[in-house]
Amino acid sequence: MYTVFGREDGPPVPQALKACEAPGCVAPEALPTTTTPSGGTSPLQPKTAKSTQQPSGSPSPSSSSPTGKPDGSAPPTTPGRPAPPSPTQPPPPSQAPKAAPPGPVTVSYSGSDSGFWEYRGSFTVTNRTGDTLSSWRLGFELSGRSRLRTLWPLPWHREGDAIVVNGGPLSNGASYTVTFVARGRGEPPTGCTLNHRPCVWG
């Protein structure tokens, strides 16, 4: 064992170093010492090699390699050209209904027997000429021994045996009805004229 002598101005020096001050003397290798907090000395621990083992939580570089596409994802698709719009045929032009050809001014008659030797009759004048009539004139005669009691909604007068009614303007396609009540057997009137011409029944 070596005797350790202390020095006042530094750490203790091993005696072996002091004993080998003569020329040609080889002192044995002394271990370096470190000062511990308690005042003693202890040899240095040999350095240990750093561990190359990676933490178990981090993935290893060789555990996964890029394959070009992620798992479970659909392969990329290349958008193709949109199909050109198909030519659409234009709708056929709508044809307006043809207007009826112009015709005459027609007259229709309807009658009913109300009993007690009394009956009612109605004349309807319809303009089918395509133009507006400025005025019209209706004339008729009662058959047998019938006598006119009343007529509406226009005034009337007699021209011989004929009963005459004068109407106002009548537009194309419009109609006008004249109603009368007479005493008698209810036979249809005779001698119907419109604007001094025989009536065109329609």
Side-chain angles (χ1 to χ4, degrees):
M1 298 180 62
Y2 298 96
T3 306
V4 179
F5 296 92
R7 289 192 302 182
E8 295 179 0
D9 56 350
V13 180
Q15 183 65 28
L17 298 178
K18 290 183 177 183
C20 196
E21 294 178 357
C25 176
V26 178
E29 183 179 357
L31 295 175
T33 59
T34 59
T35 306
T36 61
S38 59
T41 60
S42 63
L44 292 175
Q45 298 295 329
K47 295 182 180 181
T48 58
K50 292 183 179 181
S51 175
T52 59
Q53 185 178 1
Q54 296 181 351
S56 59
S58 61
S60 174
S62 61
S63 61
S64 63
S65 59
T67 58
K69 63 177 182 178
D71 295 338
S73 63
T77 58
T78 303
R81 284 185 177 182
S86 58
T88 57
Q89 296 293 336
S94 58
Q95 296 181 354
K98 294 182 179 180
V105 180
T106 60
V107 180
S108 61
Y109 173 80
S110 62
S112 61
D113 191 353
S114 59
F116 302 102
W117 291 87
E118 192 173 82
Y119 64 96
R120 174 180 296 186
S122 296
F123 286 96
T124 300
V125 180
T126 303
N127 181 13
R128 305 181 189 274
T129 62
D131 296 324
T132 300
L133 294 178
S134 59
S135 62
W136 50 274
R137 175 187 182 276
L138 175 67
F140 62 93
E141 297 179 7
L142 297 178
S143 60
R145 295 182 179 181
S146 300
R147 290 186 178 183
L148 184 64
R149 295 192 60 183
T150 181
L151 185 148
W152 70 90
L154 295 176
W156 60 277
H157 66 275
R158 284 188 178 272
E159 292 183 2
D161 294 334
I163 300 171
V164 179
V165 179
N166 291 317
L170 187 64
S171 61
N172 179 46
S175 300
Y176 198 95
T177 301
V178 176
T179 304
F180 67 90
V181 175
R183 287 190 61 88
R185 299 180 58 179
E187 296 178 0
T190 61
C192 178
T193 61
L194 183 66
N195 296 336
H196 303 283
R197 294 182 180 181
C199 292
V200 177
W201 301 102

